[in-house]
C-alpha cells in the first residue's frame, strides 16, 4: 500500500515545492497534487521550475496530479480562448512564461487536458479519501473498492464542481467543510485559501503565490500537517478544527 502526501495549491512557487518533494522523497511518500500548480499572485513566479518538478515527480515518485480551475484557465488560453486580463491576469503571465521558456505548448496542452478530476485511495487503516481540487462528489466513492482509482468527471456539471467548487443561489462559494456530518470517507481539496483538517475534511490552501503564503502538505498515514516555505519551514501535528 502506498503512503500518500497531499499537496495543496502551489501557484508557481518552485523553490517551496522543492522542499515539499525533498520531504516526500525522504519519507517515501507518493505526492497527490490537489491542483493550482501555476499562476503566481506575487513577483516571485517560478512556473517552469514547478512544471519540470511535477513532471519528474510523476515519473520518479508516481505522483498524482489533479485538474483545477487555474489549470483550466491556462488550458483555455492555450486553446485560443483567453479570458480577459482583468479577470485572470496571472494566467496571461503564466502563458507568457511558458512561451518565453520555449516549452512545447502542444505537449503542455495535451498534458493539461488529460489530467484527472479526482482520485480515491485508502490509508493504512482502510479509510477512503476522495480528492479533487475544490469538491469531491460522493457519487464517485465506491466503498466496496479496495484499490486506488482516478476519476474523470462524468458530466460538465461535475467537472465544474470538482475544479471550481459548489456555489449557492447567490453565487457564493459553499464552505462545505464547515458542515457537520460523519461520512465513512474523507473529502480532500485545496482552492479555498484556508487550511482545515478534521475527521471528515481536509482542505489545504495556505495562500502560496502570495507574498506571505506557504505550501501545505498532509502526510496521510502519519496524520501530520507541514507548511513549506523557503523563508520559514515548520512542522505541526494535524489536529481537529
Amino acid at each position: 500500500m502506498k503512503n500518500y502526501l497531499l499537496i495543496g495549491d502551489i501557484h508557481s512557487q518552485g523553490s517551496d515545492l522543492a522542499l515539499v518533494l525533498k520531504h516526500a522523497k525522504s519519507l517515501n511518500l507518493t505526492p497527490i497534487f490537489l491542483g493550482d500548480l501555476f499562476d503566481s499572485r506575487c513577483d516571485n513566479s517560478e512556473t517552469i521550475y514547478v512544471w519540470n518538478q511535477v513532471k519528474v515527480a510523476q515519473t520518479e515518485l508516481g505522483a498524482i496530479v489533479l485538474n483545477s480551475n487555474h489549470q483550466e484557465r491556462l488550458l483555455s488560453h492555450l486553446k485560443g480562448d483567453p479570458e480577459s486580463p482583468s479577470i485572470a491576469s496571472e494566467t496571461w503571465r503564466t502563458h507568457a512564461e511558458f512561451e518565453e521558456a520555449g516549452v512545447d505548448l502542444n505537449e503542455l496542452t495535451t498534458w493539461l487536458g488529460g489530467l484527472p478530476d479526482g482520485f480515491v485511495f485508502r490509508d493504512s487503516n482502510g479509510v477512503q479519501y476522495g480528492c479533487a481540487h475544490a469538491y469531491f462528489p460522493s457519487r464517485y466513492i465506491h466503498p466496496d473498492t479496495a484499490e486506488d482509482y482516478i476519476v474523470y468527471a462524468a458530466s460538465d456539471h461535475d467537472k465544474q464542481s470538482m475544479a471550481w467548487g459548489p456555489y449557492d443561489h447567490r453565487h457564493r462559494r459553499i464552505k462545505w467543510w464547515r458542515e457537520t456530518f460523519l461520512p465513512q470517507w474523507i473529502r480532500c481539496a485545496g482552492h479555498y485559501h484556508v487550511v482545515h483538517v478534521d475527521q471528515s475534511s481536509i482542505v489545504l490552501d495556505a495562500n502560496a503565490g502570495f507574498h506571505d503564503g506557504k505550501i501545505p502538505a498532509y502526510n496521510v498515514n502519519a496524520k501530520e500537517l507541514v507548511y513549506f516555505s523557503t523563508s520559514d519551514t515548520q512542522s505541526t501535528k494535524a489536529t481537529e478544527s
Side-chain angles (χ1 to χ4, degrees), residues 134-152:
Y135 184 78
F136 192 92
S138 60
R139 59 184 156 276
Y140 292 110
I141 288 288
H142 308 302
D144 296 330
T145 301
E147 300 297 324
D148 304 341
Y149 59 93
I150 60 174
V151 173
Y152 290 93

Side-chain angles (χ1 to χ4, degrees), residues 11-13 37-51 74 78 89-105 108:
H11 288 291
S12 294
Q13 304 306 293
L37 304 177
F38 313 123
D39 293 355
S40 175
R41 281 79 171 268
C42 66
D43 294 336
N44 179 30
S45 185
E46 301 171 310
T47 294
I48 308 306
Y49 191 18
V50 169
W51 161 243
L74 178 58
L78 293 167
S89 59
E90 68 269 19
T91 308
W92 286 84
R93 173 186 179 181
T94 296
H95 192 176
E97 288 172 323
F98 277 111
E99 286 186 320
E100 291 167 4
V103 170
D104 184 337
L105 298 184
L108 178 60

Side-chain angles (χ1 to χ4, degrees), residues 146-206:
E147 300 297 324
D148 304 341
Y149 59 93
I150 60 174
V151 173
Y152 290 93
S155 67
D156 289 341
H157 176 271
D158 282 355
K159 189 173 186 67
Q160 180 83 3
S161 180
M162 295 172 84
W164 295 82
Y167 289 81
D168 65 16
H169 66 283
R170 296 182 180 179
H171 202 65
R172 297 176 301 188
R173 284 179 175 174
I174 295 173
K175 298 178 180 179
W176 47 264
W177 60 93
R178 294 184 176 179
E179 298 174 2
T180 302
F181 64 100
L182 293 174
Q184 300 301 309
W185 56 282
I186 297 174
R187 180 176 278 127
C188 309
H191 186 62
Y192 292 98
H193 304 284
V194 67
V195 174
H196 173 96
V197 178
D198 66 19
Q199 293 181 336
S200 60
S201 306
I202 298 173
V203 184
L204 302 176
D205 183 2

Side-chain angles (χ1 to χ4, degrees), residues 52-64:
N52 289 330
Q53 288 185 89
V54 170
K55 288 193 297 180
V56 170
Q58 285 182 294
T59 301
E60 296 185 356
L61 303 178
I64 304 296

